[in-house]
Amino acid sequence: MMKLTAQVEDISHSTLLITADTVVVYQGTIREKPTTAEEARRFIRDYSGGSGKVVGSVVVTNLVTGSRKGGWESAEVYFLEIPDEVIDSLIEEGITFNVAGGLMLEHPLILPLVDSVVGTADCVMGLSKTLTEKLMKEALVEAMV
């Protein structure tokens, strides 16, 4: 019982650092955040009536033990036709320059144009809750061993 109590106490004093990143893969090419209006327009037009694959990675580091656990998850987003007016509005708003691949799934102009998502919406939005929780548990459990 003494050992288990010490292990639980060690976990309660753990500090976890969670880092994550997301990219979009379109026809085998990795897309980060667009840097120009022309690039953003090309990205969004490419997705129109097609799809993009979102790949998100997460690394959880236990700063007390040094244990590091990492993983990735992906989701495919299928779009309806995206009108030029929507593309122009997104670029003018500037939001397209802040997200990998140039599109934010939950944006009110984009959400109605999403045909389907194969995978989890939270993966598409940048941080898979399921993967993050799994890696956190692994980093904490390793501290008990």
Side-chain angles (χ1 to χ4, degrees):
M1 184 66 172
M2 177 68 154
K3 185 177 179 183
L4 180 60
T5 303
Q7 289 172 339
V8 170
E9 189 172 305
D10 286 344
I11 289 174
S12 69
H13 290 97
S14 291
T15 301
L16 299 179
L17 172 65
I18 301 169
T19 55
D21 197 14
T22 302
V23 296
V24 172
V25 179
Y26 177 77
Q27 295 184 346
T29 301
I30 294 175
R31 291 182 166 177
E32 299 277 352
K33 298 171 186 166
T35 57
T36 66
E38 295 76 29
E39 186 176 46
R41 189 175 311 285
R42 181 173 48 85
F43 281 9
I44 299 168
R45 280 192 177 138
D46 285 346
Y47 308 136
S48 183
S51 68
K53 183 175 188 172
V54 178
V55 180
S57 61
V58 180
V59 175
V60 176
T61 304
N62 185 323
L63 297 178
V64 173
T65 66
S67 171
R68 181 176 293 160
K69 302 295 176 182
W72 62 275
E73 188 174 291
S74 66
E76 190 86 15
V77 182
Y78 293 88
F79 295 94
L80 302 171
E81 294 296 324
I82 303 172
D84 286 340
E85 305 79 51
V86 170
I87 296 171
D88 293 341
S89 293
L90 292 168
I91 292 170
E92 185 177 311
E93 186 178 307
I95 193 70
T96 191
F97 302 106
N98 298 325
V99 292
L103 281 181
M104 182 185 290
L105 178 75
E106 66 273 24
H107 192 284
L109 292 176
I110 291 301
L111 192 56
L113 302 173
V114 173
D115 186 35
S116 63
V117 176
V118 179
T120 63
D122 59 317
C123 174
V124 174
M125 290 190 247
L127 185 63
S128 167
K129 294 175 189 173
T130 304
L131 176 60
T132 303
E133 288 174 355
K134 173 185 170 284
L135 296 173
M136 289 172 63
K137 287 176 186 172
E138 289 176 9
L140 290 171
V141 167
E142 192 167 283
M144 290 179 49
V145 178

